[in-house]
Amino acid sequence: MKAVLCESFGPAENLTLADIEAPQLLPGHVIVEIRACALNFPDVLMIEGKYQSLPPFPFTPGGEFAGVVSEVADDVQNWQVGDEVFGACGHGAMAEHICVPAKSLRAKPQSMGFAQASGISTTYGTSYYALKQRANLQAGETLLVLGAAGGVGLAAVELGKAMGARVIAAASSPEKLQIAQQAGADDLIDYSDGELKEKVKALTEGKGADVIYDPVGGPMFDQCMRCINWGGRVLIVGFVGGDIPKVPTNLILLKSCQVVGVFYGAFSGRFPAENQQNFVEIIDMFNSGNLKALVGGEYALDDYVNALNCLSQRRAVGKIVVNI
């Protein structure tokens, strides 16, 4: 089968598209014929050797997928050949087939295409965990979302609106803000000029946001700490801005706020029942029309370099999907 291989750390140009042996079926597993692989920023970090957990060489990037079950182990009861499924796998999805634990799969809603379904496991899983379990976001609160047109950011905008919050979307261009507005954002902030704090305070009568969702990091984080409301929660989701910021602990004291880590991979592994319930609620929100799961770019498998560079260069709007 064809698969993208990472044999040394570096940029996407270092990867190769190779013919490798198809995966062998294991007990408790199924083999999925992948139709679409959705990319996330951790895929870029992984091939560059910068992610917190790295598989041994050679490995195939791609952490989430949608496809059709092609083989089922004898001890698996809940899936059959031909079932349309989606799921997350950490790595390995930029390939024609993958062998995954049966319990890691979910049924693809009939209302979704494969490209759309491939991109909901990580982004909506991460953002709902962040807003529900970590921030305890309440209806009527003000939610500020940085990177609001990217994968997790756009999911946070939609979920925040579905949870009854006032959503302020912040992004680096008018084009990205238009996407966030179409997703339901109430207010928009362009921070391409490096200014965020005063713009947030102007929209909140000087109070600041109750919850800040930050997948960007870098210099924007310090401004987040200066525009969080008393008793607010700043969610640390990622660092697509490059630099990992230092936390000004004096501001945590003065604002009686919380700086809260969001590590979705650990949560889903430690609390599978809670994660499963989250996805029941997420799918309900999709079926009710509150979530759209925008696919912003689709690439062929042999165009994997451009797909990954779209993320690494921060050009992505919505989900970037590689069709297999």
Side-chain angles (χ1 to χ4, degrees), residues 144-150 153-154 157 168-181 185 187-196 199-200 213 215-216 220 314 316-317:
L144 170 65
V145 179
L146 275 62
L154 201 59
V157 169
I168 302 173
S172 59
S173 73
E175 294 77 16
K176 291 181 177 180
L177 288 172
Q178 184 178 11
I179 296 297
Q181 186 175 41
D187 299 285
L188 308 174
I189 291 176
D190 184 338
Y191 55 59
S192 59
D193 57 2
E195 297 297 325
L196 178 69
K199 295 178 181 180
V200 173
Y213 184 99
V216 177
M220 284 292 104
R314 296 186 64 185
V317 173

PDB file of all heavy atoms in Angstrom, residues 144-150 153-154 157 168-181 185 187-196 199-200 213 215-216 220 314 316-317:
ATOM      1  N   LEU A 144     -13.103  34.391  24.511  1.00  0.00           N
ATOM      2  CA  LEU A 144     -12.180  34.911  23.505  1.00  0.00           C
ATOM      3  C   LEU A 144     -11.420  33.738  22.903  1.00  0.00           C
ATOM      4  O   LEU A 144     -10.803  32.961  23.632  1.00  0.00           O
ATOM      5  CB  LEU A 144     -11.207  35.907  24.134  1.00  0.00           C
ATOM      6  CG  LEU A 144     -10.032  36.370  23.258  1.00  0.00           C
ATOM      7  CD1 LEU A 144     -10.511  37.168  22.056  1.00  0.00           C
ATOM      8  CD2 LEU A 144      -9.023  37.178  24.081  1.00  0.00           C
ATOM      9  N   VAL A 145     -11.455  33.607  21.574  1.00  0.00           N
ATOM     10  CA  VAL A 145     -10.777  32.514  20.878  1.00  0.00           C
ATOM     11  C   VAL A 145      -9.689  33.093  19.991  1.00  0.00           C
ATOM     12  O   VAL A 145      -9.972  33.858  19.063  1.00  0.00           O
ATOM     13  CB  VAL A 145     -11.759  31.695  20.026  1.00  0.00           C
ATOM     14  CG1 VAL A 145     -11.010  30.572  19.294  1.00  0.00           C
ATOM     15  CG2 VAL A 145     -12.874  31.118  20.888  1.00  0.00           C
ATOM     16  N   LEU A 146      -8.423  32.739  20.268  1.00  0.00           N
ATOM     17  CA  LEU A 146      -7.319  33.117  19.394  1.00  0.00           C
ATOM     18  C   LEU A 146      -7.169  32.073  18.291  1.00  0.00           C
ATOM     19  O   LEU A 146      -7.566  30.916  18.465  1.00  0.00           O
ATOM     20  CB  LEU A 146      -6.015  33.220  20.184  1.00  0.00           C
ATOM     21  CG  LEU A 146      -5.731  34.552  20.885  1.00  0.00           C
ATOM     22  CD1 LEU A 146      -6.780  34.869  21.935  1.00  0.00           C
ATOM     23  CD2 LEU A 146      -4.337  34.558  21.500  1.00  0.00           C
ATOM     24  N   GLY A 147      -6.578  32.478  17.171  1.00  0.00           N
ATOM     25  CA  GLY A 147      -6.440  31.548  16.050  1.00  0.00           C
ATOM     26  C   GLY A 147      -7.790  31.025  15.616  1.00  0.00           C
ATOM     27  O   GLY A 147      -7.956  29.839  15.329  1.00  0.00           O
ATOM     28  N   ALA A 148      -8.774  31.932  15.544  1.00  0.00           N
ATOM     29  CA  ALA A 148     -10.173  31.522  15.460  1.00  0.00           C
ATOM     30  C   ALA A 148     -10.590  30.933  14.124  1.00  0.00           C
ATOM     31  O   ALA A 148     -11.712  30.428  14.006  1.00  0.00           O
ATOM     32  CB  ALA A 148     -11.082  32.713  15.785  1.00  0.00           C
ATOM     33  N   ALA A 149      -9.716  30.963  13.111  1.00  0.00           N
ATOM     34  CA  ALA A 149     -10.067  30.359  11.829  1.00  0.00           C
ATOM     35  C   ALA A 149      -9.335  29.050  11.588  1.00  0.00           C
ATOM     36  O   ALA A 149      -9.581  28.383  10.576  1.00  0.00           O
ATOM     37  CB  ALA A 149      -9.774  31.330  10.678  1.00  0.00           C
ATOM     38  N   GLY A 150      -8.445  28.665  12.493  1.00  0.00           N
ATOM     39  CA  GLY A 150      -7.760  27.383  12.361  1.00  0.00           C
ATOM     40  C   GLY A 150      -8.636  26.236  12.803  1.00  0.00           C
ATOM     41  O   GLY A 150      -9.798  26.427  13.193  1.00  0.00           O
ATOM     42  N   GLY A 153      -9.402  26.340  16.681  1.00  0.00           N
ATOM     43  CA  GLY A 153     -10.009  27.633  16.970  1.00  0.00           C
ATOM     44  C   GLY A 153     -11.416  27.747  16.423  1.00  0.00           C
ATOM     45  O   GLY A 153     -12.329  28.213  17.110  1.00  0.00           O
ATOM     46  N   LEU A 154     -11.601  27.314  15.185  1.00  0.00           N
ATOM     47  CA  LEU A 154     -12.928  27.383  14.587  1.00  0.00           C
ATOM     48  C   LEU A 154     -13.895  26.465  15.319  1.00  0.00           C
ATOM     49  O   LEU A 154     -15.064  26.808  15.526  1.00  0.00           O
ATOM     50  CB  LEU A 154     -12.840  27.008  13.103  1.00  0.00           C
ATOM     51  CG  LEU A 154     -13.979  27.470  12.202  1.00  0.00           C
ATOM     52  CD1 LEU A 154     -14.122  28.979  12.209  1.00  0.00           C
ATOM     53  CD2 LEU A 154     -13.763  26.967  10.785  1.00  0.00           C
ATOM     54  N   VAL A 157     -14.988  28.273  18.412  1.00  0.00           N
ATOM     55  CA  VAL A 157     -15.996  29.291  18.121  1.00  0.00           C
ATOM     56  C   VAL A 157     -17.376  28.651  18.041  1.00  0.00           C
ATOM     57  O   VAL A 157     -18.343  29.113  18.670  1.00  0.00           O
ATOM     58  CB  VAL A 157     -15.665  30.024  16.804  1.00  0.00           C
ATOM     59  CG1 VAL A 157     -16.843  30.896  16.353  1.00  0.00           C
ATOM     60  CG2 VAL A 157     -14.417  30.882  16.969  1.00  0.00           C
ATOM     61  N   ILE A 168     -15.887  36.099  21.131  1.00  0.00           N
ATOM     62  CA  ILE A 168     -15.040  37.070  20.441  1.00  0.00           C
ATOM     63  C   ILE A 168     -13.971  36.276  19.697  1.00  0.00           C
ATOM     64  O   ILE A 168     -13.179  35.553  20.312  1.00  0.00           O
ATOM     65  CB  ILE A 168     -14.367  38.042  21.423  1.00  0.00           C
ATOM     66  CG1 ILE A 168     -15.414  38.797  22.248  1.00  0.00           C
ATOM     67  CG2 ILE A 168     -13.472  39.017  20.676  1.00  0.00           C
ATOM     68  CD1 ILE A 168     -14.809  39.663  23.354  1.00  0.00           C
ATOM     69  N   ALA A 169     -13.974  36.384  18.379  1.00  0.00           N
ATOM     70  CA  ALA A 169     -13.003  35.666  17.558  1.00  0.00           C
ATOM     71  C   ALA A 169     -11.839  36.584  17.237  1.00  0.00           C
ATOM     72  O   ALA A 169     -12.027  37.722  16.793  1.00  0.00           O
ATOM     73  CB  ALA A 169     -13.653  35.178  16.272  1.00  0.00           C
ATOM     74  N   ALA A 170     -10.614  36.110  17.464  1.00  0.00           N
ATOM     75  CA  ALA A 170      -9.411  36.875  17.161  1.00  0.00           C
ATOM     76  C   ALA A 170      -8.560  36.098  16.169  1.00  0.00           C
ATOM     77  O   ALA A 170      -8.322  34.901  16.343  1.00  0.00           O
ATOM     78  CB  ALA A 170      -8.621  37.150  18.442  1.00  0.00           C
ATOM     79  N   ALA A 171      -8.117  36.766  15.108  1.00  0.00           N
ATOM     80  CA  ALA A 171      -7.296  36.137  14.088  1.00  0.00           C
ATOM     81  C   ALA A 171      -6.413  37.197  13.438  1.00  0.00           C
ATOM     82  O   ALA A 171      -6.490  38.386  13.762  1.00  0.00           O
ATOM     83  CB  ALA A 171      -8.169  35.439  13.053  1.00  0.00           C
ATOM     84  N   SER A 172      -5.570  36.758  12.496  1.00  0.00           N
ATOM     85  CA  SER A 172      -4.520  37.641  11.977  1.00  0.00           C
ATOM     86  C   SER A 172      -4.844  38.269  10.633  1.00  0.00           C
ATOM     87  O   SER A 172      -3.985  38.937  10.063  1.00  0.00           O
ATOM     88  CB  SER A 172      -3.216  36.843  11.862  1.00  0.00           C
ATOM     89  OG  SER A 172      -3.387  35.727  11.001  1.00  0.00           O
ATOM     90  N   SER A 173      -6.043  38.085  10.111  1.00  0.00           N
ATOM     91  CA  SER A 173      -6.382  38.710   8.830  1.00  0.00           C
ATOM     92  C   SER A 173      -7.893  38.857   8.712  1.00  0.00           C
ATOM     93  O   SER A 173      -8.651  38.088   9.317  1.00  0.00           O
ATOM     94  CB  SER A 173      -5.859  37.870   7.663  1.00  0.00           C
ATOM     95  OG  SER A 173      -6.627  36.692   7.502  1.00  0.00           O
ATOM     96  N   PRO A 174      -8.359  39.815   7.898  1.00  0.00           N
ATOM     97  CA  PRO A 174      -9.800  39.970   7.679  1.00  0.00           C
ATOM     98  C   PRO A 174     -10.428  38.723   7.058  1.00  0.00           C
ATOM     99  O   PRO A 174     -11.584  38.392   7.369  1.00  0.00           O
ATOM    100  CB  PRO A 174      -9.882  41.172   6.727  1.00  0.00           C
ATOM    101  CG  PRO A 174      -8.628  41.937   6.966  1.00  0.00           C
ATOM    102  CD  PRO A 174      -7.586  40.905   7.273  1.00  0.00           C
ATOM    103  N   GLU A 175      -9.679  38.026   6.210  1.00  0.00           N
ATOM    104  CA  GLU A 175     -10.217  36.821   5.566  1.00  0.00           C
ATOM    105  C   GLU A 175     -10.502  35.736   6.593  1.00  0.00           C
ATOM    106  O   GLU A 175     -11.546  35.067   6.553  1.00  0.00           O
ATOM    107  CB  GLU A 175      -9.233  36.308   4.503  1.00  0.00           C
ATOM    108  CG  GLU A 175      -9.031  37.225   3.312  1.00  0.00           C
ATOM    109  CD  GLU A 175      -8.132  38.425   3.598  1.00  0.00           C
ATOM    110  OE1 GLU A 175      -7.406  38.396   4.625  1.00  0.00           O
ATOM    111  OE2 GLU A 175      -8.153  39.385   2.799  1.00  0.00           O
ATOM    112  N   LYS A 176      -9.581  35.554   7.536  1.00  0.00           N
ATOM    113  CA  LYS A 176      -9.787  34.556   8.582  1.00  0.00           C
ATOM    114  C   LYS A 176     -10.937  34.956   9.503  1.00  0.00           C
ATOM    115  O   LYS A 176     -11.728  34.104   9.921  1.00  0.00           O
ATOM    116  CB  LYS A 176      -8.500  34.358   9.380  1.00  0.00           C
ATOM    117  CG  LYS A 176      -7.390  33.670   8.590  1.00  0.00           C
ATOM    118  CD  LYS A 176      -6.141  33.486   9.437  1.00  0.00           C
ATOM    119  CE  LYS A 176      -5.064  32.740   8.651  1.00  0.00           C
ATOM    120  NZ  LYS A 176      -3.828  32.555   9.452  1.00  0.00           N
ATOM    121  N   LEU A 177     -11.048  36.230   9.787  1.00  0.00           N
ATOM    122  CA  LEU A 177     -12.138  36.687  10.653  1.00  0.00           C
ATOM    123  C   LEU A 177     -13.494  36.496   9.988  1.00  0.00           C
ATOM    124  O   LEU A 177     -14.488  36.226  10.670  1.00  0.00           O
ATOM    125  CB  LEU A 177     -11.923  38.154  11.028  1.00  0.00           C
ATOM    126  CG  LEU A 177     -10.790  38.407  12.024  1.00  0.00           C
ATOM    127  CD1 LEU A 177     -10.541  39.892  12.179  1.00  0.00           C
ATOM    128  CD2 LEU A 177     -11.109  37.770  13.379  1.00  0.00           C
ATOM    129  N   GLN A 178     -13.545  36.615   8.677  1.00  0.00           N
ATOM    130  CA  GLN A 178     -14.801  36.382   7.974  1.00  0.00           C
ATOM    131  C   GLN A 178     -15.257  34.938   8.146  1.00  0.00           C
ATOM    132  O   GLN A 178     -16.443  34.659   8.327  1.00  0.00           O
ATOM    133  CB  GLN A 178     -14.653  36.712   6.490  1.00  0.00           C
ATOM    134  CG  GLN A 178     -15.954  36.585   5.699  1.00  0.00           C
ATOM    135  CD  GLN A 178     -15.772  36.957   4.240  1.00  0.00           C
ATOM    136  OE1 GLN A 178     -14.671  37.125   3.755  1.00  0.00           O
ATOM    137  NE2 GLN A 178     -16.885  37.094   3.534  1.00  0.00           N
ATOM    138  N   ILE A 179     -14.304  34.014   8.120  1.00  0.00           N
ATOM    139  CA  ILE A 179     -14.621  32.596   8.341  1.00  0.00           C
ATOM    140  C   ILE A 179     -15.167  32.400   9.751  1.00  0.00           C
ATOM    141  O   ILE A 179     -16.162  31.692   9.965  1.00  0.00           O
ATOM    142  CB  ILE A 179     -13.378  31.722   8.123  1.00  0.00           C
ATOM    143  CG1 ILE A 179     -12.903  31.803   6.674  1.00  0.00           C
ATOM    144  CG2 ILE A 179     -13.655  30.277   8.510  1.00  0.00           C
ATOM    145  CD1 ILE A 179     -13.880  31.275   5.654  1.00  0.00           C
ATOM    146  N   ALA A 180     -14.534  33.031  10.740  1.00  0.00           N
ATOM    147  CA  ALA A 180     -14.993  32.911  12.126  1.00  0.00           C
ATOM    148  C   ALA A 180     -16.371  33.524  12.303  1.00  0.00           C
ATOM    149  O   ALA A 180     -17.214  33.000  13.046  1.00  0.00           O
ATOM    150  CB  ALA A 180     -13.991  33.579  13.065  1.00  0.00           C
ATOM    151  N   GLN A 181     -16.630  34.618  11.617  1.00  0.00           N
ATOM    152  CA  GLN A 181     -17.953  35.249  11.695  1.00  0.00           C
ATOM    153  C   GLN A 181     -19.018  34.330  11.117  1.00  0.00           C
ATOM    154  O   GLN A 181     -20.118  34.195  11.672  1.00  0.00           O
ATOM    155  CB  GLN A 181     -17.938  36.580  10.955  1.00  0.00           C
ATOM    156  CG  GLN A 181     -19.228  37.375  11.104  1.00  0.00           C
ATOM    157  CD  GLN A 181     -19.133  38.740  10.455  1.00  0.00           C
ATOM    158  OE1 GLN A 181     -18.576  38.887   9.359  1.00  0.00           O
ATOM    159  NE2 GLN A 181     -19.631  39.766  11.139  1.00  0.00           N
ATOM    160  N   ALA A 185     -19.275  33.733  15.335  1.00  0.00           N
ATOM    161  CA  ALA A 185     -18.656  34.666  16.283  1.00  0.00           C
ATOM    162  C   ALA A 185     -19.466  35.950  16.387  1.00  0.00           C
ATOM    163  O   ALA A 185     -19.950  36.481  15.389  1.00  0.00           O
ATOM    164  CB  ALA A 185     -17.226  34.967  15.856  1.00  0.00           C
ATOM    165  N   ASP A 187     -18.249  38.901  17.888  1.00  0.00           N
ATOM    166  CA  ASP A 187     -17.365  40.046  17.709  1.00  0.00           C
ATOM    167  C   ASP A 187     -16.042  39.563  17.130  1.00  0.00           C
ATOM    168  O   ASP A 187     -15.653  38.399  17.325  1.00  0.00           O
ATOM    169  CB  ASP A 187     -17.116  40.766  19.044  1.00  0.00           C
ATOM    170  CG  ASP A 187     -18.398  41.309  19.662  1.00  0.00           C
ATOM    171  OD1 ASP A 187     -18.911  42.317  19.166  1.00  0.00           O
ATOM    172  OD2 ASP A 187     -18.883  40.684  20.633  1.00  0.00           O
ATOM    173  N   LEU A 188     -15.353  40.459  16.425  1.00  0.00           N
ATOM    174  CA  LEU A 188     -14.134  40.096  15.711  1.00  0.00           C
ATOM    175  C   LEU A 188     -12.998  41.033  16.091  1.00  0.00           C
ATOM    176  O   LEU A 188     -13.196  42.244  16.228  1.00  0.00           O
ATOM    177  CB  LEU A 188     -14.357  40.164  14.200  1.00  0.00           C
ATOM    178  CG  LEU A 188     -15.572  39.408  13.639  1.00  0.00           C
ATOM    179  CD1 LEU A 188     -15.734  39.700  12.149  1.00  0.00           C
ATOM    180  CD2 LEU A 188     -15.448  37.913  13.885  1.00  0.00           C
ATOM    181  N   ILE A 189     -11.788  40.464  16.249  1.00  0.00           N
ATOM    182  CA  ILE A 189     -10.590  41.252  16.524  1.00  0.00           C
ATOM    183  C   ILE A 189      -9.481  40.804  15.578  1.00  0.00           C
ATOM    184  O   ILE A 189      -9.139  39.621  15.526  1.00  0.00           O
ATOM    185  CB  ILE A 189     -10.121  41.088  17.980  1.00  0.00           C
ATOM    186  CG1 ILE A 189     -11.111  41.736  18.944  1.00  0.00           C
ATOM    187  CG2 ILE A 189      -8.726  41.690  18.171  1.00  0.00           C
ATOM    188  CD1 ILE A 189     -10.766  41.529  20.406  1.00  0.00           C
ATOM    189  N   ASP A 190      -8.920  41.751  14.838  1.00  0.00           N
ATOM    190  CA  ASP A 190      -7.753  41.500  13.999  1.00  0.00           C
ATOM    191  C   ASP A 190      -6.513  41.858  14.824  1.00  0.00           C
ATOM    192  O   ASP A 190      -6.301  43.023  15.164  1.00  0.00           O
ATOM    193  CB  ASP A 190      -7.841  42.360  12.733  1.00  0.00           C
ATOM    194  CG  ASP A 190      -6.700  42.082  11.752  1.00  0.00           C
ATOM    195  OD1 ASP A 190      -5.649  41.576  12.177  1.00  0.00           O
ATOM    196  OD2 ASP A 190      -6.867  42.407  10.553  1.00  0.00           O
ATOM    197  N   TYR A 191      -5.702  40.844  15.165  1.00  0.00           N
ATOM    198  CA  TYR A 191      -4.515  41.130  15.976  1.00  0.00           C
ATOM    199  C   TYR A 191      -3.230  41.115  15.144  1.00  0.00           C
ATOM    200  O   TYR A 191      -2.121  40.931  15.682  1.00  0.00           O
ATOM    201  CB  TYR A 191      -4.400  40.195  17.179  1.00  0.00           C
ATOM    202  CG  TYR A 191      -4.406  38.704  16.906  1.00  0.00           C
ATOM    203  CD1 TYR A 191      -3.457  38.108  16.084  1.00  0.00           C
ATOM    204  CD2 TYR A 191      -5.341  37.867  17.521  1.00  0.00           C
ATOM    205  CE1 TYR A 191      -3.446  36.737  15.866  1.00  0.00           C
ATOM    206  CE2 TYR A 191      -5.341  36.507  17.313  1.00  0.00           C
ATOM    207  CZ  TYR A 191      -4.391  35.947  16.485  1.00  0.00           C
ATOM    208  OH  TYR A 191      -4.381  34.597  16.263  1.00  0.00           O
ATOM    209  N   SER A 192      -3.350  41.329  13.841  1.00  0.00           N
ATOM    210  CA  SER A 192      -2.158  41.375  12.988  1.00  0.00           C
ATOM    211  C   SER A 192      -1.241  42.533  13.351  1.00  0.00           C
ATOM    212  O   SER A 192      -0.047  42.517  13.026  1.00  0.00           O
ATOM    213  CB  SER A 192      -2.562  41.462  11.517  1.00  0.00           C
ATOM    214  OG  SER A 192      -3.348  42.623  11.269  1.00  0.00           O
ATOM    215  N   ASP A 193      -1.792  43.557  14.029  1.00  0.00           N
ATOM    216  CA  ASP A 193      -0.984  44.691  14.470  1.00  0.00           C
ATOM    217  C   ASP A 193      -0.320  44.438  15.821  1.00  0.00           C
ATOM    218  O   ASP A 193       0.359  45.311  16.367  1.00  0.00           O
ATOM    219  CB  ASP A 193      -1.835  45.960  14.549  1.00  0.00           C
ATOM    220  CG  ASP A 193      -3.051  45.815  15.476  1.00  0.00           C
ATOM    221  OD1 ASP A 193      -3.209  44.740  16.087  1.00  0.00           O
ATOM    222  OD2 ASP A 193      -3.845  46.769  15.565  1.00  0.00           O
ATOM    223  N   GLY A 194      -0.517  43.234  16.370  1.00  0.00           N
ATOM    224  CA  GLY A 194       0.080  42.906  17.663  1.00  0.00           C
ATOM    225  C   GLY A 194      -0.702  43.396  18.851  1.00  0.00           C
ATOM    226  O   GLY A 194      -0.313  43.158  19.995  1.00  0.00           O
ATOM    227  N   GLU A 195      -1.815  44.064  18.610  1.00  0.00           N
ATOM    228  CA  GLU A 195      -2.625  44.598  19.696  1.00  0.00           C
ATOM    229  C   GLU A 195      -3.832  43.691  19.957  1.00  0.00           C
ATOM    230  O   GLU A 195      -4.552  43.342  19.040  1.00  0.00           O
ATOM    231  CB  GLU A 195      -3.105  46.008  19.351  1.00  0.00           C
ATOM    232  CG  GLU A 195      -1.982  47.017  19.182  1.00  0.00           C
ATOM    233  CD  GLU A 195      -1.190  47.226  20.464  1.00  0.00           C
ATOM    234  OE1 GLU A 195      -1.808  47.170  21.551  1.00  0.00           O
ATOM    235  OE2 GLU A 195       0.030  47.423  20.382  1.00  0.00           O
ATOM    236  N   LEU A 196      -4.037  43.325  21.161  1.00  0.00           N
ATOM    237  CA  LEU A 196      -5.163  42.476  21.535  1.00  0.00           C
ATOM    238  C   LEU A 196      -5.851  42.988  22.796  1.00  0.00           C
ATOM    239  O   LEU A 196      -7.075  43.115  22.849  1.00  0.00           O
ATOM    240  CB  LEU A 196      -4.708  41.025  21.744  1.00  0.00           C
ATOM    241  CG  LEU A 196      -5.788  40.033  22.182  1.00  0.00           C
ATOM    242  CD1 LEU A 196      -6.789  39.792  21.057  1.00  0.00           C
ATOM    243  CD2 LEU A 196      -5.156  38.713  22.616  1.00  0.00           C
ATOM    244  N   LYS A 199      -8.290  45.995  22.644  1.00  0.00           N
ATOM    245  CA  LYS A 199      -9.449  45.682  21.800  1.00  0.00           C
ATOM    246  C   LYS A 199     -10.437  44.797  22.555  1.00  0.00           C
ATOM    247  O   LYS A 199     -11.653  44.974  22.449  1.00  0.00           O
ATOM    248  CB  LYS A 199      -9.007  45.020  20.502  1.00  0.00           C
ATOM    249  CG  LYS A 199      -8.182  45.934  19.601  1.00  0.00           C
ATOM    250  CD  LYS A 199      -7.721  45.214  18.335  1.00  0.00           C
ATOM    251  CE  LYS A 199      -6.884  46.140  17.453  1.00  0.00           C
ATOM    252  NZ  LYS A 199      -6.416  45.481  16.226  1.00  0.00           N
ATOM    253  N   VAL A 200      -9.916  43.846  23.326  1.00  0.00           N
ATOM    254  CA  VAL A 200     -10.793  42.987  24.126  1.00  0.00           C
ATOM    255  C   VAL A 200     -11.474  43.807  25.207  1.00  0.00           C
ATOM    256  O   VAL A 200     -12.689  43.686  25.438  1.00  0.00           O
ATOM    257  CB  VAL A 200     -10.003  41.816  24.748  1.00  0.00           C
ATOM    258  CG1 VAL A 200     -10.876  41.028  25.721  1.00  0.00           C
ATOM    259  CG2 VAL A 200      -9.472  40.892  23.661  1.00  0.00           C
ATOM    260  N   TYR A 213      -9.311  31.073  25.031  1.00  0.00           N
ATOM    261  CA  TYR A 213      -8.868  29.824  24.386  1.00  0.00           C
ATOM    262  C   TYR A 213      -7.655  30.177  23.524  1.00  0.00           C
ATOM    263  O   TYR A 213      -7.777  30.866  22.512  1.00  0.00           O
ATOM    264  CB  TYR A 213     -10.016  29.281  23.535  1.00  0.00           C
ATOM    265  CG  TYR A 213      -9.767  27.952  22.872  1.00  0.00           C
ATOM    266  CD1 TYR A 213     -10.259  26.768  23.423  1.00  0.00           C
ATOM    267  CD2 TYR A 213      -9.076  27.864  21.671  1.00  0.00           C
ATOM    268  CE1 TYR A 213     -10.059  25.548  22.797  1.00  0.00           C
ATOM    269  CE2 TYR A 213      -8.873  26.649  21.038  1.00  0.00           C
ATOM    270  CZ  TYR A 213      -9.360  25.493  21.611  1.00  0.00           C
ATOM    271  OH  TYR A 213      -9.157  24.286  20.984  1.00  0.00           O
ATOM    272  N   PRO A 215      -4.591  28.688  21.400  1.00  0.00           N
ATOM    273  CA  PRO A 215      -3.756  27.687  20.748  1.00  0.00           C
ATOM    274  C   PRO A 215      -2.518  28.295  20.096  1.00  0.00           C
ATOM    275  O   PRO A 215      -1.788  27.601  19.390  1.00  0.00           O
ATOM    276  CB  PRO A 215      -4.704  27.120  19.680  1.00  0.00           C
ATOM    277  CG  PRO A 215      -5.535  28.307  19.281  1.00  0.00           C
ATOM    278  CD  PRO A 215      -5.647  29.189  20.502  1.00  0.00           C
ATOM    279  N   VAL A 216      -2.300  29.599  20.307  1.00  0.00           N
ATOM    280  CA  VAL A 216      -1.255  30.330  19.589  1.00  0.00           C
ATOM    281  C   VAL A 216       0.014  30.464  20.414  1.00  0.00           C
ATOM    282  O   VAL A 216       1.108  30.188  19.946  1.00  0.00           O
ATOM    283  CB  VAL A 216      -1.774  31.728  19.164  1.00  0.00           C
ATOM    284  CG1 VAL A 216      -0.657  32.519  18.470  1.00  0.00           C
ATOM    285  CG2 VAL A 216      -2.981  31.588  18.246  1.00  0.00           C
ATOM    286  N   MET A 220       1.302  36.729  22.063  1.00  0.00           N
ATOM    287  CA  MET A 220      -0.112  36.973  22.329  1.00  0.00           C
ATOM    288  C   MET A 220      -0.512  36.537  23.741  1.00  0.00           C
ATOM    289  O   MET A 220      -1.453  37.058  24.323  1.00  0.00           O
ATOM    290  CB  MET A 220      -0.995  36.244  21.321  1.00  0.00           C
ATOM    291  CG  MET A 220      -1.063  36.870  19.946  1.00  0.00           C
ATOM    292  SD  MET A 220      -1.928  38.459  19.934  1.00  0.00           S
ATOM    293  CE  MET A 220      -0.548  39.592  19.802  1.00  0.00           C
ATOM    294  N   ARG A 314       0.974  28.492   8.670  1.00  0.00           N
ATOM    295  CA  ARG A 314      -0.198  29.120   9.291  1.00  0.00           C
ATOM    296  C   ARG A 314      -1.140  29.746   8.255  1.00  0.00           C
ATOM    297  O   ARG A 314      -1.699  30.808   8.462  1.00  0.00           O
ATOM    298  CB  ARG A 314       0.239  30.151  10.336  1.00  0.00           C
ATOM    299  CG  ARG A 314       0.995  29.545  11.506  1.00  0.00           C
ATOM    300  CD  ARG A 314       1.287  30.570  12.568  1.00  0.00           C
ATOM    301  NE  ARG A 314       0.060  31.089  13.164  1.00  0.00           N
ATOM    302  CZ  ARG A 314       0.037  32.077  14.052  1.00  0.00           C
ATOM    303  NH1 ARG A 314       1.163  32.639  14.440  1.00  0.00           N
ATOM    304  NH2 ARG A 314      -1.105  32.496  14.538  1.00  0.00           N
ATOM    305  N   ALA A 316      -3.676  27.790   7.085  1.00  0.00           N
ATOM    306  CA  ALA A 316      -4.867  26.939   7.129  1.00  0.00           C
ATOM    307  C   ALA A 316      -6.087  27.690   7.644  1.00  0.00           C
ATOM    308  O   ALA A 316      -6.002  28.460   8.596  1.00  0.00           O
ATOM    309  CB  ALA A 316      -4.602  25.723   8.018  1.00  0.00           C
ATOM    310  N   VAL A 317      -7.185  27.450   6.988  1.00  0.00           N
ATOM    311  CA  VAL A 317      -8.507  27.919   7.432  1.00  0.00           C
ATOM    312  C   VAL A 317      -9.396  26.697   7.544  1.00  0.00           C
ATOM    313  O   VAL A 317      -9.574  25.965   6.566  1.00  0.00           O
ATOM    314  CB  VAL A 317      -9.095  28.940   6.447  1.00  0.00           C
ATOM    315  CG1 VAL A 317     -10.535  29.280   6.835  1.00  0.00           C
ATOM    316  CG2 VAL A 317      -8.254  30.201   6.392  1.00  0.00           C
TER     317      VAL A 317
END
